[in-house]
Amino acid sequence: MTPFLDILHYDFVIRGFEAGIVVAIIAPIIGIFLVLRRYALIADTLAHVSLAGLALGSLLGVNPVAMALVVTILSSLGIERLRTTRRVYGDSALALFLSGSLALAVVLLGIAHGFDINLLNYLFGSIITVTATDVIAIVLLGVIVIAILALFYKELVYVTFDEEAARVSGIPTKSINTLLMFMSALTVSLAIPIVGVLLIAALIVVPVITALQFRMSFTKTIICAEAVSIISVLAGIIASFYLNLATGGTIVLVMIGVFLLVLMWKSR
Amino acid sequence: MNTGGNIIELHDIAFSYGEREVLGGISLDVPYGDYLGVVGPNGAGKTTLLKIILGLLKPSRGSVMLFGTDIKNLKSRSRIGYVPQKATNFDADFPATVYEVVLMGRYASRGLFHRIVESDRQFVKRALEDVDMWGFHDRLIGDLSGGQQQRVFIARALATQPDVMFLDEPTIGIDRRAREDFYDLLKKLNDGSGIALVLISHDIKMVTKHAKHIACINRDLTCHLSTEDFVKADKTQDLFSDDLDVFTRDHHHHHDTIS
C-alpha cells in the first residue's frame, strides 16, 4: 500500500484535507485585495480579534469558533468605521484592535481558567480536532464567501486599482470596502481550526506575494496564488502527518519556503 | 446625443475646508461638445471644483447639473469619463494588463450583478485602438511610459462611452513629445467624436493652443472667455505672474524621469 493511500485511512486527516482545501481556496482571493490595498495587517489584526471571540465563547459556553466569527465581523466593521472617519490613522486603528483584543483574550482566558479550553489548538491550529460538523460549516461558509466574491469581483478589482475613478463611475465604494472587511473576517474565522489564530495572516498574504513576484495579469496572479496556496496546504498536511510535526506551522513554513524559492529565482 | 443646451451647469458652487473658503460661489455653463480649459494657480480650488462636479465632494452651497440632471440624482454615470491625476493615483507594481485596466471602464456601464460580455470586449478593443495602444494590450500597465499609461487611462474613460470627459492635470510627468501627441489625441476626441472635454491644467500654452474656452479659477471664477479673447486680453499675466515660469521649468525636470 502506498504511503498516500495510507494517510487517507484516518478520518481526521480526510476532514483536515477537506477543511484545508476550502480555506486554501478562499484565503488568496481575499489576500490579493488586502495586499494590493496595503491592508495586509488587517488579516493579522482580525486573527487576534478572533482569539478574543474564542475566549468569550469558551467562557459563555457557546461554540468558540461561532463566537469568534461574530466578534471578528463586528470588529472588522468597527475598524473600517474608525479608518474612514479618520479619527485615528489607519494603521493605528489596526494596532488598537490588535493589542486591545489580545488584552481582552488574556483577561477572559484568565477568568475561564478551569474551563476546558485548549489554547494551543486555537493559537496554532490542530486539524485533529476538526469535527465533521466543523467541516460542513467551513464548506458552507466557504461557498458563500466564494459566491459573494464572484458576484462583486469586478467592483472589488476597480476599487482596489483606483478607488476615486471607481466612485466616479458610480460604484458604491463604501459598501464594497465594508464587504471586503466582512469577507476577511469570515475567512479568518474559517481558518482558525486549520492554522490557528497566529498563523492565519501568512495563509492570506504569502501565496499572494509569491504570485506577485511573477509580474503577471490580475487573473493569472490570482490563479498562481491559488496554486501556491493549495499545494502548500496539501503538502503541509501530508508532511506534518508523516514527520509528526505541527500542521499549521508546517503549512506556513512550506508556503514561506515556496516564496523564498520564487524570490531567489526571480531576483537572479 | 443632445447637441443644444449645456452639458454642465454650475450654480453658485461654494466650498470650505473648515474655516478656509476654497471656492466662493462659482457659476459656469459648459455647452455640449465644448473643450474647456480650467486654469489657475496652485491651491486655487481647481481640483476641488472638479471633485464637486464629479460628486466626490459635497459643496457647502450651490448645485451641479450634469446632462440636465442634478448630480445627486444622476443615474447614468457611464456618460462621465474621468482621467485622474495619474502620478498620485496609481501603483506601478499593480498586477494588471492594459486590457484589464481598460475593461474596468466597462464595469460601471455593466452595473452591479452583470457579467462582462462579448460586446464589452469589443468596446475595450475599440477604445484601445482609438488611442493607438491596442498593440500593448497584453503588457502590464506599470511597464509602460508615463505618456503611454495616460493614453490607457483615456481608453478606460472612452470605454464607458462618455459624453463628457474630465482630465485633471493629465500631462504632469510626461515628456514634451508625448505631451503634444496627447493633446492631438484630445483634439481628435473632441472634433471627431464630439466628446466634451474639461481639462484642468497648468500647461497654459498647450491649453490656449487647443481649448475652445478658458475658465480661470482663483477661488472665484475670475474669467470665462473664448480662447481667442483670453489670449487677446492677455489674461495669462494676471493669473500666474511668476508662478507660470516656475512651473514650466518644473516640467523640464520631469522630462526623463519616466521609465
Side-chain angles (χ1 to χ4, degrees):
Chain A
M1 184 163 283
T2 65
F4 191 72
L5 290 178
D6 192 35
I7 193 175
L8 295 177
H9 277 261
Y10 297 89
D11 284 349
F12 76 87
V13 178
I14 294 177
R15 287 197 296 271
F17 274 130
E18 288 167 346
I21 287 174
V22 173
V23 172
I25 291 172
I26 304 168
I29 315 181
I30 290 290
I32 193 160
F33 296 116
L34 294 183
V35 167
L36 288 174
R37 306 194 67 178
R38 309 292 185 271
Y39 284 1
L41 265 182
I42 281 183
D44 209 24
T45 306
L46 291 178
H48 284 80
V49 167
S50 72
L51 186 64
L54 290 168
L56 190 64
S58 306
L59 192 64
L60 300 177
V62 187
N63 181 328
V65 175
M67 187 52 108
L69 187 68
V70 172
V71 171
T72 313
I73 286 173
L74 290 179
S75 302
S76 72
L77 303 181
I79 294 171
E80 182 64 10
R81 187 75 187 272
L82 208 56
R83 210 179 55 81
T84 47
T85 54
R86 299 186 187 194
R87 296 292 292 270
V88 293
Y89 295 118
D91 55 344
S92 306
L94 293 185
L96 178 72
F97 269 84
L98 195 149
S99 46
S101 55
L102 203 53
L104 183 63
V106 169
V107 169
L108 290 177
L109 287 170
I111 299 172
H113 196 72
F115 288 76
D116 180 26
I117 170 166
N118 197 336
L119 183 60
L120 277 185
N121 284 352
Y122 290 140
L123 286 181
F124 302 110
S126 160
I127 58 165
I128 300 174
T129 58
V130 174
T131 65
T133 327
D134 287 344
V135 172
I136 293 171
I138 289 176
V139 171
L140 264 178
L141 287 175
V143 169
I144 292 175
V145 171
I146 291 173
I148 293 179
L149 285 175
L151 211 53
F152 293 99
Y153 176 78
K154 52 187 174 54
E155 284 76 18
L156 281 164
V157 172
Y158 203 172
V159 170
T160 304
F161 181 68
D162 189 342
E163 184 159 357
E164 199 176 66
R167 244 183 96 190
V168 170
S169 79
I171 289 174
T173 54
K174 244 187 219 162
S175 312
I176 294 294
N177 286 336
T178 306
L179 184 80
L180 180 62
M181 294 297 284
F182 189 84
M183 294 291 112
S184 308
L186 258 179
T187 306
V188 163
S189 305
L190 291 183
I192 292 171
I194 312 300
V195 289
V197 165
L198 295 181
L199 298 173
I200 291 167
L203 222 61
I204 291 177
V205 171
V206 179
V208 173
I209 58 175
T210 307
L212 284 174
Q213 302 306 314
F214 291 97
R215 296 186 59 78
M216 299 179 295
S217 74
F218 199 84
T219 320
K220 284 181 185 163
T221 303
I222 289 186
I223 293 169
C224 177
E226 286 290 335
V228 171
S229 174
I230 293 170
I231 290 169
S232 305
V233 168
L234 292 182
I237 292 176
I238 293 169
S240 67
F241 178 79
Y242 285 108
L243 304 175
N244 200 19
L245 304 171
T247 313
T250 311
I251 290 173
V252 171
L253 286 179
V254 170
M255 271 180 190
I256 292 176
V258 174
F259 170 69
L260 290 176
L261 282 177
V262 169
L263 195 64
M264 280 191 292
W265 174 33
K266 280 289 157 190
S267 56
R268 240 190 338 179
Chain B
M1 190 172 76
N2 182 2
T3 42
N6 295 319
I7 199 160
I8 306 167
E9 288 175 13
L10 306 181
H11 180 69
D12 194 28
I13 297 290
F15 189 83
S16 308
Y17 285 111
E19 292 289 290
R20 198 167 64 88
E21 189 180 58
V22 186
L23 296 171
I26 289 182
S27 298
L28 176 68
D29 292 345
V30 182
Y32 276 87
D34 197 10
Y35 185 163
L36 179 71
V38 180
V39 297
N42 273 326
K46 303 188 297 290
T47 298
T48 304
L49 181 64
L50 177 65
K51 286 188 171 174
I52 288 170
I53 299 174
L54 293 170
L56 296 173
L57 283 177
K58 272 202 192 98
S60 46
R61 183 177 85 224
S63 66
V64 178
M65 306 279 277
L66 277 184
F67 320 114
T69 310
D70 194 303
I71 180 81
K72 283 177 289 199
N73 308 320
L74 187 67
K75 290 279 181 289
S76 55
R77 289 194 147 261
S78 68
R79 294 173 69 189
I80 306 170
Y82 174 47
V83 181
Q85 239 180 65
K86 188 218 67 175
T88 51
N89 271 303
F90 166 55
D91 164 15
D93 288 324
F94 197 96
T97 59
V98 165
Y99 189 90
E100 287 175 321
V101 170
V102 179
L103 190 59
M104 291 175 199
R106 293 302 301 167
Y107 292 173
S109 319
R110 272 291 138 214
L112 287 171
F113 306 119
H114 291 281
R115 297 184 59 84
I116 292 295
V117 295
E118 183 53 33
S119 63
D120 294 309
R121 305 192 180 280
Q122 292 301 323
F123 280 120
V124 171
K125 185 160 189 274
R126 208 175 310 153
L128 276 168
E129 283 167 350
D130 283 347
V131 300
D132 284 329
M133 289 296 290
W134 175 247
F136 293 83
H137 73 276
D138 263 345
R139 298 274 294 276
L140 281 194
I141 181 77
D143 288 346
L144 305 182
S145 73
Q148 291 169 329
Q149 284 170 355
Q150 202 56 286
R151 282 174 172 267
V152 173
F153 286 112
I154 296 263
R156 183 181 70 182
L158 279 179
T160 69
Q161 295 186 291
D163 292 332
V164 57
M165 198 183 281
F166 297 90
L167 305 101
D168 189 4
E169 302 279 10
T171 54
I172 281 188
I174 294 178
D175 65 64
R176 180 173 293 275
R177 180 64 197 286
R179 234 188 302 162
E180 277 169 24
D181 289 347
F182 186 79
Y183 281 104
D184 288 342
L185 170 64
L186 291 187
K187 193 173 163 52
K188 192 176 88 181
L189 297 177
N190 185 239
D191 288 348
S193 312
I195 298 170
L197 300 177
V198 176
L199 172 70
I200 289 186
S201 183
H202 264 97
D203 199 344
I204 198 155
K205 252 185 229 160
M206 280 294 185
V207 173
T208 49
K209 207 165 135 189
H210 294 292
K212 290 175 182 163
H213 290 94
I214 306 282
C216 319
I217 305 286
N218 197 354
R219 208 165 59 102
D220 299 303
L221 183 68
T222 54
C223 77
H224 182 206
L225 301 166
S226 73
T227 306
E228 228 173 281
D229 292 341
F230 177 85
V231 173
K232 245 187 260 162
D234 202 18
K235 289 277 184 188
T236 314
Q237 286 305 313
D238 309 354
L239 255 183
F240 290 97
S241 54
D242 327 320
D243 190 41
L244 179 66
D245 257 14
V246 174
F247 200 81
T248 320
R249 237 178 285 134
D250 193 39
H251 268 300
H252 287 285
H253 283 301
H254 280 296
H255 198 89
D256 285 320
T257 54
I258 304 305
S259 56

